[in-house]
Amino acid sequence: MDKHFKFTNLVVGLPLFFVVILWFVFWLEIRFDFDFVQNGIYPRTFSGLQGIIFSPFIHADMKHLYNNTFPLMILLASLQFFYAKQSLQVIVYGIILSGFITWIIGRDNYHIGASGLIYVLFSFVFFKGIQTKYNRLTALSLAVIVVYGGLVWYIFPTPTVRGENSISWEGHLGGLLTGFLLSLIYKTPEYKKIIKYDWEHAEFDSSEDKFMQRFDASGNFVNLPKVEEVEEQQQELSTYYTSIFQVNYEVVRNEKNELKPKS
């Protein structure tokens, strides 16, 4: 596994913790007959500002909550694994900024749900992966666009269907813009491959390499030019060493180390 990416308990714990909070809030609504919708974002009103913080945890019904649960878990896990140092900032500032954009451009109605945060995560992971130009993160971006590419259509105004809750395309658009902005603000390390060999450098010239000179244009093995071989041999022959110390040699008779028979 790449040294930049480490699996920790937060990769699983963070998505589970966030989703448990969503379901707990929804359980409180059902169990005690609370109505948290009025705590959502109501555009351009002072009381509606509270929804910037509370709206991601409020859902209209079971279907709404269910549809947000799985994308949220997958994207939060991806964020924590690949961008652990930036994950908390992306979540916090993503909720605040996307909610504020919704408060400015939204229709006069309550806007609730974690879909705005989903678009923040989707946008951040996708654009940051493209910007890094790193194979694994680019592949992650392509996987995200394949799985959740259909989400892009929900950033445009959709007709209201009678009897159904309308989609907050303003929140989706705010989340998409926020994720892109955060991908530009938060810098990540340059995930570059460590260069071990000379031939991996961009400025490497194979014509100057002694080993590569052993091969022709077709890849066949050939010898070095004779001129260079002669020069190298002459250089080796001209190399000798001298010493100022006197060296005495003692000649030792070579005798076998055998036991002599006893008389």
Side-chain angles (χ1 to χ4, degrees), residues 105-129:
I105 68 174
R107 291 162 290 175
D108 292 335
N109 203 345
Y110 288 103
H111 298 255
I112 58 175
S115 56
L117 177 59
I118 290 175
Y119 275 81
V120 171
L121 301 175
F122 163 79
S123 179
F124 180 85
V125 170
F126 175 73
F127 288 111
K128 178 54 73 175

Side-chain angles (χ1 to χ4, degrees), residues 146-240:
V146 168
V147 177
Y148 299 112
L151 295 175
V152 176
W153 297 109
Y154 295 104
I155 65 174
F156 303 106
T158 54
T160 303
V161 180
R162 181 174 296 180
E164 295 186 5
N165 296 319
S166 59
I167 297 175
S168 176
W169 63 268
E170 300 94 334
H172 299 169
L173 178 60
L176 189 71
L177 295 176
T178 300
F180 174 70
L181 180 61
L182 292 177
S183 71
L184 298 177
I185 294 176
Y186 289 104
K187 303 298 181 181
T188 54
E190 294 185 4
Y191 304 106
K192 293 183 178 180
K193 182 180 179 181
I194 299 176
I195 297 178
K196 297 181 179 179
Y197 308 102
D198 293 338
W199 54 265
E200 293 182 300
H201 291 276
E203 63 275 7
F204 174 74
D205 185 5
S206 59
S207 63
E208 300 294 331
D209 185 75
K210 295 295 183 182
F211 178 77
M212 295 302 297
Q213 290 175 2
R214 295 269 182 183
F215 300 88
D216 59 16
S218 301
N220 299 318
F221 180 79
V222 295
N223 292 324
L224 289 173
K226 294 183 178 180
V227 177
E228 294 186 5
E229 290 182 351
V230 171
E231 290 180 353
E232 290 180 359
Q233 292 176 359
Q234 291 178 349
Q235 184 178 4
E236 291 178 359
L237 292 174
S238 63
T239 302
Y240 59 91

Side-chain angles (χ1 to χ4, degrees), residues 33-44:
D33 197 25
F34 291 147
D35 185 10
F36 293 142
V37 174
Q38 295 182 356
N39 298 105
I41 300 174
Y42 201 93
R44 296 171 297 280

